[in-house]
């Protein structure tokens, strides 16, 4: 088996994840998290919330997944959130045209080519339909919008779309959210929830879903004044694969501290460097293997035009013995004021924040106060349009009023007005502040891909007592179950059930199992990544002790039952390590 | 203000909830939970998970919100998940035809009338368009399917729908989920997530959303053998408003214990009675006012035909001084084997569970073994169809083989076959068990409505120091913030910030506030339902004590700073009450 098949098999059999609606043949790109997978995902989300919302002092919101069309007219998704599609004339199946070209040529980024060139490349390289083998030469390459469309209410008067990112739910509500932040920058807003991308023909399990979960933080900052608390992560080491290194002959990953990365200009935006540091600490905490992890900078062709710097956190999700398979798990982007300016242009609301000056400032403001007794008779129904044009001209080009006449364009025609009739003047005004459109710093996590990374990095094969064993070395904070409880004798079952309840009441996810040999019970827990198993044996009724077994080493120690909840809580929180436990002498 | 307006105003101003995409004019039926609301919702979901998943020993899954069409062909939603719609010929606006009839006549349940009758009622009662006033007489009343439709992948070859209930994501995956339960009944599966209903013209804020969150438990049981653990909730008192009482002249709510409700047959299904008991305990825990709460049984016309018993948990969500406003917050339904049978009929998978008998059973099984050397020449291409028809007849009507000839229908024609050519025989077979389609017991919670109920029931207006005060008396488990921390003097700010951090590190949601008068800071926390506020004052540096203020009584006590995390954790968990705290004597 290869390409994650071994993990997919375990995931299906043990309840981590599987394709949805399987009894109906499934739908590509839609996966269900089973009991174990939903627990891991939930734990990952909680760890994210603790780090990126609570500890950073941000606000978490929850906005709908369906949003009306004007939002995506403004955001640009309606126009540009496209993939290139080519449809087979014979079997009717659709394919990503750029991917076909990449598969048949040396071209690596066909996405950036114009459609006509992709059409030519398909013809020149005799690219055939992957489904039925018919040649695709001559077939048109078209843009396919990746948003799922629907209609809100009856009829099609109000189109709606499933949001392609949770971020838009934050951006559109900034006029209200800034009030909750008392109009003080910086402020951060987070959201964890579903997002959608109607992929043309997704393959690859959790790596490419049509419905997925994002955890996004949008930090709104004053680009002139706000600086990140770099000191908190200054010494965190970042494995940086810069654009420059990617394009160099022997390009390699540079290990720099956050401070070095900023000082040497490898990471251009200090806010981005700060979050790369926080991110690295968080990935480590939830069990991402940092030896198979890197930050890769976007090449200039990849980067959105508005983003001054973008880095992807990437993980190698190959299983032992497979070729490397790097996937993006988080995008870190400095989005400037692009998003809020777009919404300010399209929507009827105020997306800027009023920034008070330390001292009031006096400015000269050119104004007009036209003589309507002249303009009215002279221009009739066009008079108001002439007034507006004069006001614009005064604001943007006050020099034009230096002569005797000014000329403005109204409805495509030039109109001339004597300056004396415009009431042109330059007034001194005192200003107390300005309206500032905040810049946006965005760490955007793909939760499903993070979960997938955590599972692949935890996947282990070894031998125990001469038998092959598969297990998941999950971090206790992320594992679905903290402890399995096994009675070794029939008359210990009641006692074992009571202990399970007691552990649960102490907030420890515990599973009771009395079925099959002790070896089978251990393997079952090993496969779902349960870090500890507790066994009640013949000695338990004598001295009220049980054994704890460590998943990774299979070492065992005895612990008094009364101490068990505290010991397990300490092990789970990382306050104690298993090697420090000692079996007390037999009474 | 009325109809929840006062709450809506507070909710918007303080960040509980507000209409989404407001800068674009909003979209009816879509709401965003702001920072406070998202926190309350999250706390309610966690409390639900603890009670209905963890404590009940059920499995939680997470399945996609978009599902392919065959799922809803099977479930019946494609055919029957409709509302009656009438469109105005003049202004083009759409309305729920049954609601218009209810508004203009004495009819209470117009939904159950045929469309033609609703058309007549609209004409006879001169019903006009609520938007523009044009008479609607003569306009057709049609069925409008309430599912949001979209397309999966390019083109329209694979229609998909936003799920109208999370339950279908559980039902379709039963063939796999039963494996995780090791094919043992009963087993329960839960899911918390978005569900959708494309209402024709929703009004009423959180009470009627197009996108909402459900928390559903589907319990799969053996109807013959499985019984609920009634003893656990036997003495819980249920405020029951039965169908009989609803239809009686002076019908009233009966207060019965769970045990009485079952024994007296008021609640027909013991499983439903069990969950009504668990539900009542849970509502109380999260702060639903039980004086404004009832369980209302569905009338026979309301109930789905497959459901043998249905009860709604209802809450009165009027604010002080308003008329009662009862809304459904949970549905409890005994759904029998309806759902799984439907999916078994439509899908290519096994939705039943193999139930082993205690002892093998010998049964007589009529079979046929037709003589093909006769049937082949006699029926040609129809021979196999004749064989199938004979096998069906033997299984269902073995008596038919008692004469010399049997007659079966094949392709609409009667065909006669000599019995001696059918190879009819009755064989004895030993059976070790049977395939049983589980019955489904479903408590289905509308999370948004539960949150709305909790907020309305917590809404209070009183007077403090002669000033009117509005506050939310939220349960500490549900409140967005547990404690506000205020420095009274400028040079205590650092100390107060440190204390805030320390409380957060102890898992207590804490907010620091140094802005404005102490009275204003209290009011801010009162309005978002923060149960406790801690003040650092001039005595704090002297003896390391602070004051804690109780939101509801505004009483204050002094507590040593070192004890604060434990005291607040106890207060939050309900292990101690504020009245039991005592100010220590001044050192």
């Amino acid at each position: 088996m290869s390409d994650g098949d071994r993990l997919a098999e375990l995931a299906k059999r043990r309840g981590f994840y599987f394709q949805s609606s399987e009894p109906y043949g499934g739908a590509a790109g839609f996966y269900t998290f089973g009991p174990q997978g939903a627990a891991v995902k939930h734990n990952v989300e909680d760890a994210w919330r603790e780090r990126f919302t609570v500890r950073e002092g941000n606000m978490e919101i929850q906005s709908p997944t369906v949003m009306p069309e004007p939002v995506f007219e403004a955001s640009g998704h309606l126009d540009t959130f496209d993939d290139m599609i080519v449809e087979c004339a014979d079997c009717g199946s659709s394919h990503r045209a750029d991917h076909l070209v990449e598969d048949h040529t040396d071209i690596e980024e066909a996405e950036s080519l114009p459609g006509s060139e992709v059409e030519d490349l398909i013809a020149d390289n005799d690219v055939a339909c992957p489904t039925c083998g018919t040649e695709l030469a001559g077939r048109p390459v078209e843009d396919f919008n990746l948003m799922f469309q629907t209609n809100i209410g009856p009829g099609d008067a109000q189109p709606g779309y499933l949001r392609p990112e949770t971020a838009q739910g934050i951006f559109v509500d900034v006029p209200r959210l800034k009030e909750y932040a008392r109009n003080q920058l910086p402020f951060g807003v987070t959201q964890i929830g579903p997002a959608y991308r109607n992929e043309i023909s997704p393959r690859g399990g959790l790596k490419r879903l049509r419905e997925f979960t994002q955890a996004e933080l949008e930090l709104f900052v004053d680009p002139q004044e706000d600086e990140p608390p770099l000191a908190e992560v200054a010494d965190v080491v970042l494995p940086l694969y810069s654009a420059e290194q990617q394009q160099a002959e022997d390009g390699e990953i540079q290990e720099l501290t956050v401070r070095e990365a900023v000082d040497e200009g490898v990471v251009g935006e200090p806010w981005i460097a700060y979050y790369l540091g926080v991110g690295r600490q968080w990935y480590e905490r939830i069990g991402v293997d940092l030896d198979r992890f890197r930050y890769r900078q976007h090449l200039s062709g990849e980067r959105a035009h508005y983003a001054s710097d973008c880095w992807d956190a990437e993980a190698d999700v190959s299983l032992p013995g497979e070729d490397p398979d790097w996937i993006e798990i988080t995008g870190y982007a400095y989005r400037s004021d692009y998003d809020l300016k777009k919404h300010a242009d399209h929507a009827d609301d105020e997306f800027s924040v009023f920034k008070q000056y330390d001292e009031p400032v006096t400015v000269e403001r050119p104004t007009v106060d036209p003589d309507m007794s002249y303009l009215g008779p002279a221009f009739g129904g066009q008079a108001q349009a002439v007034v507006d044009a004069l006001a614009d001209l005064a604001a943007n080009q006050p020099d034009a009023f230096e002569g005797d006449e000014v000329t403005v364009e109204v409805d495509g025609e030039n109109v001339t007005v004597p300056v004396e009739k415009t009431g042109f003047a330059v007034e001194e005004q005192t200003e107390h502040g300005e309206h500032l459109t905040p810049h946006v710093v965005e760490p955007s996590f793909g939760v499903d891909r993070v979960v997938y990374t955590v599972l692949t990095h935890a996947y282990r094969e070894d031998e125990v007592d001469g038998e092959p064993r598969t297990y998941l070395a999950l971090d206790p904070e992320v594992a679905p179950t903290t402890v399995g409880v096994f009675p070794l004798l029939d008359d210990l079952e009641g006692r074992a059930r009571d202990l399970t309840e007691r552990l649960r009441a102490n907030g420890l996810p515990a599973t009771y199992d009395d079925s099959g040999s002790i070896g089978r019970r251990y393997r079952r827990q090993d496969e779902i990544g349960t870090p500890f198993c507790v066994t009640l044996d013949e000695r338990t009724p004598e001295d009220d002790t049980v054994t704890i077994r460590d998943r990774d080493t299979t070492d065992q120690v005895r612990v008094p039952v009364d101490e068990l909840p505290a010991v397990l809580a300490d092990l789970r929180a990382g306050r104690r390590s298993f090697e420090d436990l000692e079996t007390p002498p037999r009474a």
Side-chain angles (χ1 to χ4, degrees), chain A residues 32-215:
Chain A
T32 293
F33 286 93
Q36 311 303 341
V40 172
K41 183 163 178 278
H42 191 252
N43 292 341
V44 165
E45 289 173 3
D46 271 356
W48 193 90
R49 178 176 288 117
E50 192 282 320
R51 188 64 192 85
F52 291 91
T53 304
V54 179
R55 196 153 11 139
E56 296 281 301
N58 295 323
M59 308 186 267
E60 180 174 354
I61 70 162
Q62 198 175 67
S63 70
T65 59
V66 176
M67 302 181 79
E69 186 161 78
V71 173
F72 302 110
E73 278 168 5
S75 72
H77 285 91
L78 210 53
D79 276 345
T80 60
F81 190 58
D82 296 324
D83 273 349
M84 271 184 271
I85 191 171
V86 60
E87 189 183 296
C88 173
D90 200 39
C91 74
S93 64
S94 295
H95 308 281
R96 271 192 72 167
D98 52 330
H99 284 185
L100 292 178
V101 165
E102 288 165 13
D103 291 346
H104 287 76
T105 66
D106 292 336
I107 295 168
E108 281 181 16
E109 291 284 342
E111 200 177 359
S112 54
L113 301 174
S116 59
E117 201 171 326
V118 173
E119 281 177 14
D120 292 345
L121 285 162
I122 286 175
D124 296 348
N125 291 280
D126 302 327
V127 176
C129 170
T131 308
C132 74
T134 305
E135 298 256 335
L136 293 169
R139 298 294 298 162
V141 168
E142 288 170 341
D143 283 337
F144 172 66
N145 192 285
L146 298 174
M147 284 196 293
F148 284 95
Q149 193 188 339
T150 189
N151 288 302
I152 299 172
D156 53 12
Q158 194 176 15
Y161 297 86
L162 298 182
R163 61 183 180 196
E165 54 183 12
T166 64
Q168 293 303 326
I170 295 173
F171 295 146
V172 296
D173 287 329
V174 159
R176 191 163 298 289
L177 296 169
K178 70 180 184 184
E179 302 292 331
Y180 303 148
R182 301 189 205 167
N183 290 294
Q184 298 294 307
L185 295 176
F187 70 90
V189 185
T190 64
Q191 179 160 211
I192 303 175
Y196 304 80
R197 189 182 162 106
N198 198 5
E199 300 281 353
I200 291 169
S201 52
R203 280 173 219 95
L206 291 192
K207 290 190 285 182
R208 193 162 289 277
L209 295 174
R210 281 171 163 154
E211 176 173 346
F212 46 96
T213 298
Q214 287 186 317

Side-chain angles (χ1 to χ4, degrees), chain A residues 302-331:
Chain A
E302 277 176 273
R303 207 164 64 207
H305 62 278
Y306 53 85
S308 60
D309 203 6
C310 283
W311 292 78
D312 286 344
E314 294 188 334
D316 169 12
V317 292
S318 59
L319 291 188
E322 295 176 358
D323 290 335
D325 181 12
W326 291 93
I327 61 168
E328 174 194 348
I329 58 175
T330 310

